[in-house]
PDB file of all heavy atoms in Angstrom:
ATOM      1  N   LEU A 288      16.167  10.302   4.965  1.00  0.00           N
ATOM      2  CA  LEU A 288      17.098   9.214   5.260  1.00  0.00           C
ATOM      3  C   LEU A 288      18.281   9.267   4.294  1.00  0.00           C
ATOM      4  O   LEU A 288      18.117   9.590   3.109  1.00  0.00           O
ATOM      5  CB  LEU A 288      16.401   7.857   5.111  1.00  0.00           C
ATOM      6  CG  LEU A 288      15.243   7.555   6.065  1.00  0.00           C
ATOM      7  CD1 LEU A 288      14.616   6.216   5.689  1.00  0.00           C
ATOM      8  CD2 LEU A 288      15.718   7.540   7.503  1.00  0.00           C
ATOM      9  N   ASP A 289      19.477   8.956   4.820  1.00  0.00           N
ATOM     10  CA  ASP A 289      20.643   8.828   3.948  1.00  0.00           C
ATOM     11  C   ASP A 289      20.438   7.642   3.010  1.00  0.00           C
ATOM     12  O   ASP A 289      19.861   6.617   3.397  1.00  0.00           O
ATOM     13  CB  ASP A 289      21.906   8.612   4.771  1.00  0.00           C
ATOM     14  CG  ASP A 289      22.304   9.855   5.556  1.00  0.00           C
ATOM     15  OD1 ASP A 289      21.943  10.962   5.110  1.00  0.00           O
ATOM     16  OD2 ASP A 289      22.948   9.700   6.615  1.00  0.00           O
ATOM     17  N   ALA A 290      20.932   7.790   1.772  1.00  0.00           N
ATOM     18  CA  ALA A 290      20.761   6.727   0.772  1.00  0.00           C
ATOM     19  C   ALA A 290      22.122   6.230   0.305  1.00  0.00           C
ATOM     20  O   ALA A 290      23.049   7.015   0.077  1.00  0.00           O
ATOM     21  CB  ALA A 290      19.951   7.244  -0.413  1.00  0.00           C
ATOM     22  N   LYS A 291      22.273   4.902   0.150  1.00  0.00           N
ATOM     23  CA  LYS A 291      23.509   4.269  -0.313  1.00  0.00           C
ATOM     24  C   LYS A 291      23.271   3.585  -1.653  1.00  0.00           C
ATOM     25  O   LYS A 291      22.181   3.102  -1.938  1.00  0.00           O
ATOM     26  CB  LYS A 291      23.982   3.230   0.703  1.00  0.00           C
ATOM     27  CG  LYS A 291      24.519   3.813   2.004  1.00  0.00           C
ATOM     28  CD  LYS A 291      24.847   2.709   2.995  1.00  0.00           C
ATOM     29  CE  LYS A 291      25.924   1.784   2.448  1.00  0.00           C
ATOM     30  NZ  LYS A 291      26.312   0.747   3.441  1.00  0.00           N
ATOM     31  N   TYR A 292      24.374   3.548  -2.433  1.00  0.00           N
ATOM     32  CA  TYR A 292      24.379   2.869  -3.732  1.00  0.00           C
ATOM     33  C   TYR A 292      23.374   3.490  -4.702  1.00  0.00           C
ATOM     34  O   TYR A 292      22.857   2.823  -5.592  1.00  0.00           O
ATOM     35  CB  TYR A 292      24.088   1.364  -3.590  1.00  0.00           C
ATOM     36  CG  TYR A 292      24.838   0.688  -2.486  1.00  0.00           C
ATOM     37  CD1 TYR A 292      24.237  -0.296  -1.717  1.00  0.00           C
ATOM     38  CD2 TYR A 292      26.159   1.031  -2.198  1.00  0.00           C
ATOM     39  CE1 TYR A 292      24.921  -0.932  -0.686  1.00  0.00           C
ATOM     40  CE2 TYR A 292      26.855   0.396  -1.171  1.00  0.00           C
ATOM     41  CZ  TYR A 292      26.234  -0.572  -0.422  1.00  0.00           C
ATOM     42  OH  TYR A 292      26.921  -1.190   0.597  1.00  0.00           O
ATOM     43  N   THR A 293      23.116   4.756  -4.521  1.00  0.00           N
ATOM     44  CA  THR A 293      22.144   5.433  -5.378  1.00  0.00           C
ATOM     45  C   THR A 293      22.706   6.770  -5.840  1.00  0.00           C
ATOM     46  O   THR A 293      23.602   7.338  -5.206  1.00  0.00           O
ATOM     47  CB  THR A 293      20.831   5.684  -4.625  1.00  0.00           C
ATOM     48  OG1 THR A 293      21.076   6.603  -3.546  1.00  0.00           O
ATOM     49  CG2 THR A 293      20.252   4.393  -4.076  1.00  0.00           C
ATOM     50  N   LYS A 294      22.177   7.219  -6.953  1.00  0.00           N
ATOM     51  CA  LYS A 294      22.566   8.543  -7.438  1.00  0.00           C
ATOM     52  C   LYS A 294      22.072   9.627  -6.492  1.00  0.00           C
ATOM     53  O   LYS A 294      22.669  10.694  -6.382  1.00  0.00           O
ATOM     54  CB  LYS A 294      22.018   8.749  -8.844  1.00  0.00           C
ATOM     55  CG  LYS A 294      22.672   7.858  -9.891  1.00  0.00           C
ATOM     56  CD  LYS A 294      22.142   8.139 -11.287  1.00  0.00           C
ATOM     57  CE  LYS A 294      22.837   7.247 -12.327  1.00  0.00           C
ATOM     58  NZ  LYS A 294      22.325   7.497 -13.699  1.00  0.00           N
ATOM     59  N   GLU A 295      20.928   9.347  -5.833  1.00  0.00           N
ATOM     60  CA  GLU A 295      20.414  10.272  -4.834  1.00  0.00           C
ATOM     61  C   GLU A 295      21.179  10.069  -3.535  1.00  0.00           C
ATOM     62  O   GLU A 295      21.419   8.946  -3.120  1.00  0.00           O
ATOM     63  CB  GLU A 295      18.922  10.033  -4.586  1.00  0.00           C
ATOM     64  CG  GLU A 295      18.036  10.152  -5.817  1.00  0.00           C
ATOM     65  CD  GLU A 295      17.980   8.867  -6.637  1.00  0.00           C
ATOM     66  OE1 GLU A 295      18.621   7.868  -6.226  1.00  0.00           O
ATOM     67  OE2 GLU A 295      17.290   8.857  -7.671  1.00  0.00           O
ATOM     68  N   LYS A 296      21.567  11.150  -2.878  1.00  0.00           N
ATOM     69  CA  LYS A 296      22.329  11.043  -1.644  1.00  0.00           C
ATOM     70  C   LYS A 296      21.438  10.817  -0.426  1.00  0.00           C
ATOM     71  O   LYS A 296      21.905  10.379   0.611  1.00  0.00           O
ATOM     72  CB  LYS A 296      23.177  12.300  -1.433  1.00  0.00           C
ATOM     73  CG  LYS A 296      24.189  12.528  -2.542  1.00  0.00           C
ATOM     74  CD  LYS A 296      25.103  11.313  -2.696  1.00  0.00           C
ATOM     75  CE  LYS A 296      26.112  11.525  -3.825  1.00  0.00           C
ATOM     76  NZ  LYS A 296      26.939  10.314  -4.052  1.00  0.00           N
ATOM     77  N   TYR A 297      20.150  11.139  -0.575  1.00  0.00           N
ATOM     78  CA  TYR A 297      19.216  10.941   0.537  1.00  0.00           C
ATOM     79  C   TYR A 297      17.813  10.738  -0.037  1.00  0.00           C
ATOM     80  O   TYR A 297      17.534  11.029  -1.206  1.00  0.00           O
ATOM     81  CB  TYR A 297      19.236  12.135   1.503  1.00  0.00           C
ATOM     82  CG  TYR A 297      18.980  13.475   0.845  1.00  0.00           C
ATOM     83  CD1 TYR A 297      17.665  13.942   0.667  1.00  0.00           C
ATOM     84  CD2 TYR A 297      20.030  14.265   0.402  1.00  0.00           C
ATOM     85  CE1 TYR A 297      17.432  15.157   0.057  1.00  0.00           C
ATOM     86  CE2 TYR A 297      19.797  15.474  -0.207  1.00  0.00           C
ATOM     87  CZ  TYR A 297      18.491  15.926  -0.382  1.00  0.00           C
ATOM     88  OH  TYR A 297      18.248  17.121  -0.986  1.00  0.00           O
ATOM     89  N   LEU A 298      16.949  10.212   0.800  1.00  0.00           N
ATOM     90  CA  LEU A 298      15.558   9.964   0.410  1.00  0.00           C
ATOM     91  C   LEU A 298      14.643  10.786   1.297  1.00  0.00           C
ATOM     92  O   LEU A 298      14.697  10.704   2.522  1.00  0.00           O
ATOM     93  CB  LEU A 298      15.211   8.479   0.566  1.00  0.00           C
ATOM     94  CG  LEU A 298      13.733   8.111   0.376  1.00  0.00           C
ATOM     95  CD1 LEU A 298      13.312   8.322  -1.075  1.00  0.00           C
ATOM     96  CD2 LEU A 298      13.476   6.675   0.814  1.00  0.00           C
ATOM     97  N   GLU A 299      13.804  11.615   0.665  1.00  0.00           N
ATOM     98  CA  GLU A 299      12.795  12.385   1.399  1.00  0.00           C
ATOM     99  C   GLU A 299      11.436  11.710   1.256  1.00  0.00           C
ATOM    100  O   GLU A 299      11.011  11.407   0.148  1.00  0.00           O
ATOM    101  CB  GLU A 299      12.700  13.818   0.864  1.00  0.00           C
ATOM    102  CG  GLU A 299      13.813  14.728   1.306  1.00  0.00           C
ATOM    103  CD  GLU A 299      13.519  16.181   0.951  1.00  0.00           C
ATOM    104  OE1 GLU A 299      12.625  16.405   0.096  1.00  0.00           O
ATOM    105  OE2 GLU A 299      14.163  17.072   1.511  1.00  0.00           O
ATOM    106  N   ILE A 300      10.797  11.476   2.369  1.00  0.00           N
ATOM    107  CA  ILE A 300       9.431  10.954   2.343  1.00  0.00           C
ATOM    108  C   ILE A 300       8.509  12.114   2.691  1.00  0.00           C
ATOM    109  O   ILE A 300       8.596  12.697   3.774  1.00  0.00           O
ATOM    110  CB  ILE A 300       9.245   9.794   3.337  1.00  0.00           C
ATOM    111  CG1 ILE A 300      10.125   8.617   2.931  1.00  0.00           C
ATOM    112  CG2 ILE A 300       7.783   9.373   3.405  1.00  0.00           C
ATOM    113  CD1 ILE A 300      10.049   7.432   3.858  1.00  0.00           C
ATOM    114  N   LYS A 301       7.631  12.442   1.749  1.00  0.00           N
ATOM    115  CA  LYS A 301       6.746  13.589   1.912  1.00  0.00           C
ATOM    116  C   LYS A 301       5.291  13.145   1.939  1.00  0.00           C
ATOM    117  O   LYS A 301       4.935  12.097   1.438  1.00  0.00           O
ATOM    118  CB  LYS A 301       6.952  14.592   0.772  1.00  0.00           C
ATOM    119  CG  LYS A 301       8.323  15.240   0.759  1.00  0.00           C
ATOM    120  CD  LYS A 301       8.393  16.330  -0.294  1.00  0.00           C
ATOM    121  CE  LYS A 301       9.727  17.058  -0.244  1.00  0.00           C
ATOM    122  NZ  LYS A 301       9.774  18.177  -1.209  1.00  0.00           N
ATOM    123  N   SER A 302       4.474  13.989   2.521  1.00  0.00           N
ATOM    124  CA  SER A 302       3.032  13.764   2.490  1.00  0.00           C
ATOM    125  C   SER A 302       2.475  14.397   1.220  1.00  0.00           C
ATOM    126  O   SER A 302       2.817  15.533   0.886  1.00  0.00           O
ATOM    127  CB  SER A 302       2.367  14.394   3.718  1.00  0.00           C
ATOM    128  OG  SER A 302       0.958  14.348   3.591  1.00  0.00           O
ATOM    129  N   ASP A 303       1.635  13.662   0.515  1.00  0.00           N
ATOM    130  CA  ASP A 303       1.016  14.241  -0.677  1.00  0.00           C
ATOM    131  C   ASP A 303      -0.426  14.635  -0.412  1.00  0.00           C
ATOM    132  O   ASP A 303      -1.187  14.917  -1.346  1.00  0.00           O
ATOM    133  CB  ASP A 303       1.096  13.275  -1.864  1.00  0.00           C
ATOM    134  CG  ASP A 303       0.433  11.943  -1.597  1.00  0.00           C
ATOM    135  OD1 ASP A 303      -0.121  11.770  -0.500  1.00  0.00           O
ATOM    136  OD2 ASP A 303       0.469  11.075  -2.485  1.00  0.00           O
ATOM    137  N   ILE A 304      -0.827  14.685   0.869  1.00  0.00           N
ATOM    138  CA  ILE A 304      -2.162  15.149   1.241  1.00  0.00           C
ATOM    139  C   ILE A 304      -2.067  15.991   2.510  1.00  0.00           C
ATOM    140  O   ILE A 304      -1.104  15.898   3.269  1.00  0.00           O
ATOM    141  CB  ILE A 304      -3.136  13.977   1.490  1.00  0.00           C
ATOM    142  CG1 ILE A 304      -2.596  13.060   2.597  1.00  0.00           C
ATOM    143  CG2 ILE A 304      -3.421  13.184   0.228  1.00  0.00           C
ATOM    144  CD1 ILE A 304      -3.581  12.006   3.046  1.00  0.00           C
ATOM    145  N   ASP A 305      -3.070  16.832   2.714  1.00  0.00           N
ATOM    146  CA  ASP A 305      -3.221  17.513   3.998  1.00  0.00           C
ATOM    147  C   ASP A 305      -3.878  16.543   4.973  1.00  0.00           C
ATOM    148  O   ASP A 305      -4.726  15.739   4.587  1.00  0.00           O
ATOM    149  CB  ASP A 305      -4.112  18.751   3.856  1.00  0.00           C
ATOM    150  CG  ASP A 305      -3.494  19.835   2.992  1.00  0.00           C
ATOM    151  OD1 ASP A 305      -2.258  19.986   3.022  1.00  0.00           O
ATOM    152  OD2 ASP A 305      -4.245  20.521   2.277  1.00  0.00           O
ATOM    153  N   ILE A 306      -3.491  16.624   6.225  1.00  0.00           N
ATOM    154  CA  ILE A 306      -4.085  15.773   7.246  1.00  0.00           C
ATOM    155  C   ILE A 306      -4.685  16.665   8.329  1.00  0.00           C
ATOM    156  O   ILE A 306      -3.994  17.089   9.257  1.00  0.00           O
ATOM    157  CB  ILE A 306      -3.061  14.803   7.842  1.00  0.00           C
ATOM    158  CG1 ILE A 306      -2.441  13.956   6.744  1.00  0.00           C
ATOM    159  CG2 ILE A 306      -3.722  13.920   8.902  1.00  0.00           C
ATOM    160  CD1 ILE A 306      -1.389  13.007   7.228  1.00  0.00           C
ATOM    161  N   PRO A 307      -5.994  16.982   8.198  1.00  0.00           N
ATOM    162  CA  PRO A 307      -6.646  17.817   9.212  1.00  0.00           C
ATOM    163  C   PRO A 307      -7.144  16.972  10.379  1.00  0.00           C
ATOM    164  O   PRO A 307      -7.625  15.855  10.195  1.00  0.00           O
ATOM    165  CB  PRO A 307      -7.815  18.422   8.438  1.00  0.00           C
ATOM    166  CG  PRO A 307      -8.165  17.381   7.416  1.00  0.00           C
ATOM    167  CD  PRO A 307      -6.869  16.677   7.062  1.00  0.00           C
ATOM    168  N   LYS A 308      -7.034  17.512  11.577  1.00  0.00           N
ATOM    169  CA  LYS A 308      -7.500  16.832  12.782  1.00  0.00           C
ATOM    170  C   LYS A 308      -8.361  17.772  13.615  1.00  0.00           C
ATOM    171  O   LYS A 308      -8.095  18.969  13.704  1.00  0.00           O
ATOM    172  CB  LYS A 308      -6.322  16.323  13.624  1.00  0.00           C
ATOM    173  CG  LYS A 308      -5.499  15.284  12.893  1.00  0.00           C
ATOM    174  CD  LYS A 308      -6.318  14.074  12.520  1.00  0.00           C
ATOM    175  CE  LYS A 308      -5.629  13.243  11.468  1.00  0.00           C
ATOM    176  NZ  LYS A 308      -6.534  12.248  10.875  1.00  0.00           N
ATOM    177  N   TYR A 309      -9.390  17.195  14.221  1.00  0.00           N
ATOM    178  CA  TYR A 309     -10.317  17.956  15.050  1.00  0.00           C
ATOM    179  C   TYR A 309      -9.691  18.150  16.416  1.00  0.00           C
ATOM    180  O   TYR A 309      -9.521  17.194  17.173  1.00  0.00           O
ATOM    181  CB  TYR A 309     -11.628  17.181  15.152  1.00  0.00           C
ATOM    182  CG  TYR A 309     -12.751  17.909  15.845  1.00  0.00           C
ATOM    183  CD1 TYR A 309     -13.375  18.998  15.247  1.00  0.00           C
ATOM    184  CD2 TYR A 309     -13.202  17.484  17.093  1.00  0.00           C
ATOM    185  CE1 TYR A 309     -14.422  19.648  15.870  1.00  0.00           C
ATOM    186  CE2 TYR A 309     -14.252  18.122  17.730  1.00  0.00           C
ATOM    187  CZ  TYR A 309     -14.867  19.205  17.113  1.00  0.00           C
ATOM    188  OH  TYR A 309     -15.905  19.843  17.731  1.00  0.00           O
ATOM    189  N   LEU A 310      -9.339  19.409  16.754  1.00  0.00           N
ATOM    190  CA  LEU A 310      -8.546  19.685  17.948  1.00  0.00           C
ATOM    191  C   LEU A 310      -9.051  20.911  18.689  1.00  0.00           C
ATOM    192  O   LEU A 310      -9.695  21.793  18.107  1.00  0.00           O
ATOM    193  CB  LEU A 310      -7.082  19.927  17.559  1.00  0.00           C
ATOM    194  CG  LEU A 310      -6.351  18.794  16.843  1.00  0.00           C
ATOM    195  CD1 LEU A 310      -5.074  19.314  16.233  1.00  0.00           C
ATOM    196  CD2 LEU A 310      -6.073  17.663  17.811  1.00  0.00           C
ATOM    197  N   ASN A 311      -8.703  20.973  19.950  1.00  0.00           N
ATOM    198  CA  ASN A 311      -8.961  22.169  20.734  1.00  0.00           C
ATOM    199  C   ASN A 311      -8.170  23.333  20.153  1.00  0.00           C
ATOM    200  O   ASN A 311      -7.036  23.158  19.691  1.00  0.00           O
ATOM    201  CB  ASN A 311      -8.548  21.918  22.190  1.00  0.00           C
ATOM    202  CG  ASN A 311      -8.970  23.038  23.106  1.00  0.00           C
ATOM    203  OD1 ASN A 311      -8.366  24.103  23.121  1.00  0.00           O
ATOM    204  ND2 ASN A 311     -10.021  22.797  23.864  1.00  0.00           N
ATOM    205  N   ILE A 312      -8.751  24.514  20.171  1.00  0.00           N
ATOM    206  CA  ILE A 312      -8.102  25.677  19.549  1.00  0.00           C
ATOM    207  C   ILE A 312      -6.793  26.048  20.236  1.00  0.00           C
ATOM    208  O   ILE A 312      -5.978  26.789  19.669  1.00  0.00           O
ATOM    209  CB  ILE A 312      -9.034  26.906  19.541  1.00  0.00           C
ATOM    210  CG1 ILE A 312      -9.471  27.267  20.962  1.00  0.00           C
ATOM    211  CG2 ILE A 312     -10.233  26.659  18.643  1.00  0.00           C
ATOM    212  CD1 ILE A 312     -10.260  28.556  21.038  1.00  0.00           C
ATOM    213  N   ASN A 313      -6.569  25.567  21.445  1.00  0.00           N
ATOM    214  CA  ASN A 313      -5.321  25.872  22.157  1.00  0.00           C
ATOM    215  C   ASN A 313      -4.163  24.999  21.682  1.00  0.00           C
ATOM    216  O   ASN A 313      -3.018  25.224  22.070  1.00  0.00           O
ATOM    217  CB  ASN A 313      -5.515  25.692  23.666  1.00  0.00           C
ATOM    218  CG  ASN A 313      -6.498  26.687  24.243  1.00  0.00           C
ATOM    219  OD1 ASN A 313      -6.498  27.854  23.873  1.00  0.00           O
ATOM    220  ND2 ASN A 313      -7.362  26.223  25.136  1.00  0.00           N
ATOM    221  N   ILE A 314      -4.436  24.004  20.871  1.00  0.00           N
ATOM    222  CA  ILE A 314      -3.395  23.138  20.340  1.00  0.00           C
ATOM    223  C   ILE A 314      -2.956  23.652  18.981  1.00  0.00           C
ATOM    224  O   ILE A 314      -3.779  23.903  18.093  1.00  0.00           O
ATOM    225  CB  ILE A 314      -3.903  21.687  20.215  1.00  0.00           C
ATOM    226  CG1 ILE A 314      -4.267  21.144  21.599  1.00  0.00           C
ATOM    227  CG2 ILE A 314      -2.859  20.799  19.554  1.00  0.00           C
ATOM    228  CD1 ILE A 314      -4.918  19.780  21.581  1.00  0.00           C
ATOM    229  N   ASN A 315      -1.656  23.842  18.812  1.00  0.00           N
ATOM    230  CA  ASN A 315      -1.095  24.335  17.557  1.00  0.00           C
ATOM    231  C   ASN A 315      -0.225  23.272  16.906  1.00  0.00           C
ATOM    232  O   ASN A 315       0.179  22.292  17.548  1.00  0.00           O
ATOM    233  CB  ASN A 315      -0.257  25.602  17.813  1.00  0.00           C
ATOM    234  CG  ASN A 315      -1.088  26.731  18.389  1.00  0.00           C
ATOM    235  OD1 ASN A 315      -2.099  27.120  17.811  1.00  0.00           O
ATOM    236  ND2 ASN A 315      -0.669  27.239  19.539  1.00  0.00           N
ATOM    237  N   LYS A 316       0.087  23.493  15.656  1.00  0.00           N
ATOM    238  CA  LYS A 316       0.895  22.528  14.915  1.00  0.00           C
ATOM    239  C   LYS A 316       2.257  22.335  15.567  1.00  0.00           C
ATOM    240  O   LYS A 316       2.811  21.224  15.560  1.00  0.00           O
ATOM    241  CB  LYS A 316       1.047  23.006  13.471  1.00  0.00           C
ATOM    242  CG  LYS A 316       1.683  21.995  12.543  1.00  0.00           C
ATOM    243  CD  LYS A 316       1.646  22.484  11.108  1.00  0.00           C
ATOM    244  CE  LYS A 316       2.290  21.472  10.167  1.00  0.00           C
ATOM    245  NZ  LYS A 316       2.239  21.922   8.754  1.00  0.00           N
ATOM    246  N   THR A 317       2.791  23.393  16.171  1.00  0.00           N
ATOM    247  CA  THR A 317       4.113  23.311  16.795  1.00  0.00           C
ATOM    248  C   THR A 317       4.106  22.472  18.075  1.00  0.00           C
ATOM    249  O   THR A 317       5.166  22.137  18.593  1.00  0.00           O
ATOM    250  CB  THR A 317       4.626  24.720  17.116  1.00  0.00           C
ATOM    251  OG1 THR A 317       3.650  25.421  17.907  1.00  0.00           O
ATOM    252  CG2 THR A 317       4.893  25.506  15.838  1.00  0.00           C
ATOM    253  N   ASP A 318       2.933  22.151  18.579  1.00  0.00           N
ATOM    254  CA  ASP A 318       2.850  21.343  19.789  1.00  0.00           C
ATOM    255  C   ASP A 318       3.125  19.863  19.526  1.00  0.00           C
ATOM    256  O   ASP A 318       3.367  19.100  20.466  1.00  0.00           O
ATOM    257  CB  ASP A 318       1.460  21.472  20.433  1.00  0.00           C
ATOM    258  CG  ASP A 318       1.208  22.868  20.979  1.00  0.00           C
ATOM    259  OD1 ASP A 318       2.158  23.459  21.512  1.00  0.00           O
ATOM    260  OD2 ASP A 318       0.073  23.357  20.861  1.00  0.00           O
ATOM    261  N   PHE A 319       3.110  19.474  18.262  1.00  0.00           N
ATOM    262  CA  PHE A 319       3.307  18.073  17.924  1.00  0.00           C
ATOM    263  C   PHE A 319       4.783  17.765  17.696  1.00  0.00           C
ATOM    264  O   PHE A 319       5.530  18.589  17.169  1.00  0.00           O
ATOM    265  CB  PHE A 319       2.515  17.703  16.664  1.00  0.00           C
ATOM    266  CG  PHE A 319       1.033  17.688  16.880  1.00  0.00           C
ATOM    267  CD1 PHE A 319       0.276  18.826  16.647  1.00  0.00           C
ATOM    268  CD2 PHE A 319       0.386  16.543  17.320  1.00  0.00           C
ATOM    269  CE1 PHE A 319      -1.086  18.823  16.853  1.00  0.00           C
ATOM    270  CE2 PHE A 319      -0.976  16.524  17.527  1.00  0.00           C
ATOM    271  CZ  PHE A 319      -1.715  17.671  17.292  1.00  0.00           C
ATOM    272  N   LYS A 320       5.190  16.582  18.109  1.00  0.00           N
ATOM    273  CA  LYS A 320       6.525  16.075  17.820  1.00  0.00           C
ATOM    274  C   LYS A 320       6.392  14.816  16.974  1.00  0.00           C
ATOM    275  O   LYS A 320       5.438  14.057  17.128  1.00  0.00           O
ATOM    276  CB  LYS A 320       7.280  15.758  19.111  1.00  0.00           C
ATOM    277  CG  LYS A 320       7.576  16.975  19.974  1.00  0.00           C
ATOM    278  CD  LYS A 320       8.326  16.570  21.238  1.00  0.00           C
ATOM    279  CE  LYS A 320       8.604  17.777  22.111  1.00  0.00           C
ATOM    280  NZ  LYS A 320       9.316  17.392  23.365  1.00  0.00           N
ATOM    281  N   PHE A 321       7.357  14.618  16.092  1.00  0.00           N
ATOM    282  CA  PHE A 321       7.344  13.456  15.206  1.00  0.00           C
ATOM    283  C   PHE A 321       8.601  12.627  15.490  1.00  0.00           C
ATOM    284  O   PHE A 321       9.716  13.100  15.273  1.00  0.00           O
ATOM    285  CB  PHE A 321       7.298  13.898  13.748  1.00  0.00           C
ATOM    286  CG  PHE A 321       6.070  14.711  13.418  1.00  0.00           C
ATOM    287  CD1 PHE A 321       6.054  16.088  13.603  1.00  0.00           C
ATOM    288  CD2 PHE A 321       4.928  14.093  12.944  1.00  0.00           C
ATOM    289  CE1 PHE A 321       4.922  16.833  13.314  1.00  0.00           C
ATOM    290  CE2 PHE A 321       3.793  14.820  12.651  1.00  0.00           C
ATOM    291  CZ  PHE A 321       3.788  16.188  12.840  1.00  0.00           C
ATOM    292  N   ILE A 322       8.413  11.436  15.998  1.00  0.00           N
ATOM    293  CA  ILE A 322       9.527  10.576  16.409  1.00  0.00           C
ATOM    294  C   ILE A 322       9.555   9.345  15.521  1.00  0.00           C
ATOM    295  O   ILE A 322       8.601   8.557  15.510  1.00  0.00           O
ATOM    296  CB  ILE A 322       9.400  10.187  17.890  1.00  0.00           C
ATOM    297  CG1 ILE A 322       9.370  11.448  18.757  1.00  0.00           C
ATOM    298  CG2 ILE A 322      10.545   9.275  18.298  1.00  0.00           C
ATOM    299  CD1 ILE A 322       9.111  11.178  20.224  1.00  0.00           C
TER     300      ILE A 322
END
Side-chain angles (χ1 to χ4, degrees):
L288 296 176
D289 291 334
K291 289 175 61 177
Y292 315 142
T293 65
K294 292 183 179 179
E295 302 84 1
K296 299 303 179 184
Y297 55 87
L298 172 68
E299 283 190 343
I300 296 178
K301 295 187 176 184
S302 171
D303 58 2
I304 58 171
D305 294 326
I306 303 178
K308 297 300 163 193
Y309 187 70
L310 300 166
N311 188 284
I312 58 174
N313 295 320
I314 298 174
N315 298 305
K316 189 173 180 179
T317 54
D318 293 322
F319 290 92
K320 295 180 181 179
F321 299 87
I322 302 174

